[in-house]
Amino acid sequence: MTDKLYYICRYAPLELFAGFGTQTERLDPAPLNFDCADGCSHPNLCGFGKAVIEDVAARGIKRLLLTDCCDVCRRLLDVLERSLGMDFIYLLPLPHKAGNAETKLLAADLKRLAAAWTRFSGQAFDYRKALEACSENRAQPERDVPHVSLAGAHGGSLLFETVKERFKLPVTDDTCTGARVLAAPQSCADEESFFAEYAAALLNQTHPCMRMYGSLGTLPEDANARGVVFHTVKFCDYYSFEYHNIKNSKGAPILKIETDCTPQSSGQLRTRLDAFAETLDAGVKRVEKTGSNGSARYTAGVDSGSTSTDAVVMDANRRVVGSSIIPTGAGAAAGAAKALAEALAMAGLGREDLAEIVTTGYGRENIGMTNDSVTEITCHARGAHFLCPDARTVIDIGGQDSKVIRLDERGHVVNFVMNDKCAAGTGRFLELMARTLEMPLEKMGRLGLEWKNEIAISSMCTVFAESEVVSLIANNTQSADIIHGLNMAVAGKTASLAKRLGGGPRFIMTGGVAQNPGVVKALEEKLGSRIYVPKEAQLCGAIGAALIALEGQDGDA
Ligand code: SF4
Ligand code: SF4
């Protein structure tokens, strides 16, 4: 337990509490689970709300200042008061705008808060001390140079550090609990004028939160921002709506990420951040085409996926001279070493002939054969452009995830979306359904084209879809019709990702599911467009990695 007063929002009047000599600290929750919160609150409370409950319970916090930002903050007041027995918990009303009337309202509410704190703590307020705290230097030098802005909902140190680690540019924390820069009140002769000026300063922070700029439909101006990572929280309606308002605003490219304020899914988060970083900052690297003795140089790309590991060896003239596709098995490193050895053997080469190796895929950072790893988003884009230069949308359905990538005419990533949260619409989904139908995947791929009657599979959740399939089998429905229903369900989910991204022809399909003609046909129907499926579809990521090893991320495409 501590005497500090904790707060959750950057509109909390910290300087006011400095006027009491009270120490304040921002709650920075990153719990591993929501065991306590699930037991005492509604399951649909946003991830941040649950994380606050967990943190308050785990650390025995008894003094908390909430700001009345949304329903969740009001529910937090009820739950924490009732379930965790707080000594001091206060919900500060917060206006949505920074006009004269709102400033007056906030000034009156700040006075009420000060009176409540005096009653609770017995401490007296000294407005001169508060003024002193207002004049502390809160300069943000990162904002004056090219940087990446982490914006959106409550970020916290965990997210901020994760984002900082993935970008070469400095990152500013502009989330609703991030940077807090207020202009110091200038001419306060007494306590009364302090409250009026301080309320105005709080409401007019230089980088306002969504609640203050929410009606503008655009992010606050940030001339040096080269990219924006926009954070939304699971079950938070506000920031998801806000993203829809601002996503088309002119300015820096935007990547939306969602977390539940726990460290879960940090692997997928890193892939998204890395892919975005690669689109902002394509490195230029070029391998010498001949060695010192004049011999041709080779590069390799290794794609370590959750289901298969693919390797490609490429010569200096961009010809694939060796390749291999093997099951990943239990260890990513062993699978990668085996796939590369097989590709080298096919090319009649040894490791010493390779000038450069680039790894990609979920296991890319755990393979240990090189320090050069690039996300599968960039590698698939590069490989797809190589295999089909006029492709503008890549559809990659792999073992555990599916992604849609929009390309420009040089094969650079314009934007991408990923479904990596569950098996719905992925190769794994089809694999499990093939098992339920008791047939190999290859047969399922062929049989899906022979359907006669339209069957709708209503659920994309693997568990529910499986029971639907079992019922259809029990009703003697033809296997071909069931498979077609499943193919249409996968195609519908993927087509909606493509639609969300604004992807258009020419479409190219990569990844293992591209080998399934039933899914490809269903997807063509949903998209209303032909899809090009190269014979190297499954090697596309490894080909992209080998090309990047040869030419750098910009390449000479
Ligand atoms: S949205 Fe604004 S008011 Fe709400 S918690 Fe974040 S900073 Fe505070
Ligand atoms: S994440 Fe959204 S719902 Fe949750 S407290 Fe913040 S603004 Fe409210």
Side-chain angles (χ1 to χ4, degrees):
M1 201 187 307
T2 158
D3 283 345
K4 278 183 195 162
L5 176 68
Y6 288 83
Y7 65 95
I8 62 165
C9 153
R10 64 182 155 96
Y11 285 83
L14 311 186
E15 295 75 11
L16 179 84
F17 285 94
F20 283 99
T22 303
Q23 260 191 305
T24 47
E25 184 178 315
R26 179 166 66 81
L27 218 55
D28 193 17
L32 293 176
N33 56 53
F34 293 140
D35 288 352
C36 173
D38 284 341
C40 63
S41 65
H42 192 279
N44 283 357
L45 201 71
C46 78
F48 179 73
K50 287 186 183 180
V52 166
I53 296 174
E54 289 298 330
D55 213 28
V56 167
R59 294 167 64 195
I61 287 168
K62 293 288 171 201
R63 299 164 177 208
L64 182 64
L65 175 65
L66 300 167
T67 24
D68 191 359
C69 161
C70 61
D71 286 348
V72 166
C73 294
R74 291 186 278 279
R75 275 193 271 164
L76 272 179
L77 178 76
D78 297 339
V79 171
L80 292 172
E81 244 176 355
R82 200 188 51 226
S83 306
L84 298 182
M86 307 294 287
D87 293 339
F88 180 87
I89 183 160
Y90 195 97
L91 185 69
L92 175 70
L94 191 68
H96 285 241
K97 296 182 193 153
N100 286 341
E102 290 82 7
T103 305
K104 271 189 195 156
L105 265 178
L106 181 61
D109 280 316
L110 288 174
K111 280 188 213 166
R112 274 189 278 275
L113 169 61
W117 186 251
T118 299
R119 278 197 302 280
F120 168 74
S121 66
Q123 291 168 327
F125 176 62
D126 180 347
Y127 82 92
R128 290 177 205 85
K129 276 202 220 158
L131 262 181
E132 236 173 78
C134 288
S135 58
E136 272 168 25
N137 179 17
R138 294 193 190 87
Q140 291 181 292
E142 303 85 6
R143 207 173 284 289
D144 300 331
V145 294
H147 61 270
V148 172
S149 163
L150 171 62
H154 323 260
S157 314
L158 178 72
L159 183 66
F160 187 46
E161 290 307 318
T162 306
V163 175
K164 271 205 307 193
E165 180 180 285
R166 313 314 290 187
F167 291 89
K168 287 187 205 142
L169 291 173
V171 178
T172 52
D173 187 351
D174 303 321
T175 60
C176 83
T177 35
R180 185 176 180 280
V181 183
L182 342 174
Q186 293 298 317
S187 54
C188 305
D190 53 25
E191 200 173 293
E192 190 61 26
S193 58
F194 167 79
F195 277 106
E197 288 206 30
Y198 181 54
L202 264 184
L203 289 179
N204 287 289
Q205 298 189 24
T206 50
H207 208 80
C209 75
M210 166 278 293
R211 204 172 185 277
M212 296 297 166
Y213 73 75
S215 55
L216 300 179
T218 180
L219 283 166
E221 202 174 319
D222 190 351
N224 290 320
R226 295 295 177 265
V228 176
V229 177
F230 193 87
H231 177 227
T232 62
V233 171
K234 204 166 173 192
F235 289 125
C236 166
D237 292 337
Y238 301 89
Y239 276 98
S240 292
F241 281 129
E242 182 52 16
Y243 173 72
H244 281 281
N245 287 340
I246 53 126
K247 69 179 179 188
N248 295 323
S249 49
K250 296 209 171 16
I254 300 178
L255 170 76
K256 181 189 168 201
I257 56 171
E258 184 184 275
T259 74
D260 61 359
C261 297
T262 70
Q264 314 297 341
S265 328
S266 55
Q268 287 116 329
L269 180 60
R270 281 200 292 272
T271 298
R272 281 190 168 81
L273 293 169
D274 287 354
F276 188 57
E278 285 159 9
T279 63
L280 297 182
D281 179 34
V284 181
K285 172 183 66 182
R286 217 160 271 273
V287 168
E288 289 300 317
K289 288 199 172 185
T290 52
S292 52
N293 60 1
S295 62
R297 306 297 297 269
Y298 299 87
T299 59
V302 179
D303 184 353
S304 170
S306 51
T307 310
S308 74
T309 299
D310 320 321
V312 153
V313 176
M314 188 172 271
D315 73 12
N317 294 314
R318 306 165 107 213
R319 277 189 308 244
V320 173
V321 293
S323 65
S324 163
I325 300 173
I326 61 163
T328 295
K338 187 162 177 241
L340 181 60
E342 280 189 14
L344 282 166
M346 185 176 167
L349 299 168
R351 276 289 278 270
E352 66 284 358
D353 295 307
L354 295 177
E356 187 84 26
I357 304 172
V358 166
T359 57
T360 186
Y362 274 139
R364 67 188 180 279
E365 288 177 345
N366 306 319
I367 293 173
M369 53 176 58
T370 171
N371 288 331
D372 254 336
S373 68
V374 177
T375 63
E376 52 272 35
I377 309 285
T378 299
C379 288
H380 273 269
R382 191 61 182 280
H385 182 71
F386 175 72
L387 297 168
C388 178
D390 55 352
R392 292 294 172 269
T393 307
V394 185
I395 294 174
D396 172 65
I397 308 185
Q400 301 280 11
D401 68 15
S402 53
K403 36 194 170 292
V404 181
I405 309 165
R406 251 177 70 204
L407 305 180
D408 66 14
E409 63 290 345
R410 296 182 63 211
H412 291 169
V413 176
V414 176
N415 208 345
F416 65 92
V417 280
M418 273 176 95
N419 160 41
D420 52 8
K421 288 189 181 146
C422 67
T426 68
R428 181 85 186 126
F429 175 84
L430 291 169
E431 210 178 293
L432 290 168
M433 296 308 137
R435 200 178 299 164
T436 311
L437 287 160
E438 293 180 351
M439 67 176 72
L441 261 177
E442 298 70 32
K443 184 174 175 196
M444 187 173 160
R446 285 193 308 276
L447 202 57
L449 294 170
E450 294 170 17
W451 63 281
K452 301 252 170 353
N453 301 305
E454 194 97 41
I455 300 279
I457 303 286
S458 54
S459 178
M460 275 309 285
C461 164
T462 313
V463 178
F464 290 124
E466 194 174 11
S467 33
E468 266 189 81
V469 169
V470 169
S471 311
L472 288 165
I473 295 170
N475 286 338
N476 295 319
T477 309
Q478 291 298 308
S479 297
D481 295 342
I482 300 175
I483 296 166
H484 177 64
L486 291 165
N487 290 346
M488 288 303 275
V490 170
K493 182 147 180 87
T494 312
S496 66
L497 283 183
K499 204 167 155 204
R500 217 166 86 198
L501 192 69
R506 191 175 183 193
F507 291 96
I508 179 173
M509 193 160 166
T510 64
V513 177
Q515 313 298 330
N516 183 322
V519 174
V520 176
K521 188 114 194 358
L523 201 44
E524 288 184 331
E525 202 176 300
K526 291 276 182 195
L527 292 169
S529 175
R530 296 298 306 275
I531 299 172
Y532 172 64
V533 181
K535 65 179 188 319
E536 306 88 342
Q538 208 176 337
L539 286 170
C540 186
I543 290 175
L547 281 166
I548 290 169
L550 184 68
E551 303 165 341
Q553 283 186 43
D554 267 347
D556 52 9

